Amino acid sequence: MEHWPDLPAAIRTWAGRYAGRVDLAAPVQVVPGGERIKNDLRVLDRVGRLAAEAGLDRHGYVVIVGGGAVVHAVG
């Protein structure tokens, strides 16, 4: 987040512009980067709970902005 601290707000603004076509099912989440995220069950639990609470199924999307370790962990 240090390189783009306004990213969560930018995502919310973008989604608002496309309201009706894009709905944020949960608040934008910021997770730590780096290889350690792959072994951090708290992050996996948080993302999984938010997806379940939002009722996401195979027709929904989780958009991940980040590097490889973040994509691997959240994906």
Side-chain angles (χ1 to χ4, degrees):
M1 284 301 303
E2 71 183 68
H3 297 295
W4 195 353
D6 298 334
L7 182 58
I11 292 169
R12 288 189 297 272
T13 299
W14 179 85
R17 252 187 255 140
Y18 294 96
R21 293 175 52 196
V22 174
D23 296 314
L24 293 179
V28 174
Q29 298 296 300
V30 177
V31 299
E35 289 294 316
R36 69 183 182 279
I37 189 177
K38 292 181 187 180
N39 297 313
D40 189 343
L41 296 179
R42 294 171 300 173
V43 172
L44 302 178
D45 183 61
R46 179 173 48 160
V47 172
R49 284 179 192 271
L50 287 168
E53 290 170 3
L56 290 183
D57 60 15
R58 64 189 184 112
H59 301 289
Y61 296 92
V62 174
V63 178
I64 306 164
V65 179
V70 174
V71 172
H72 291 162
V74 176

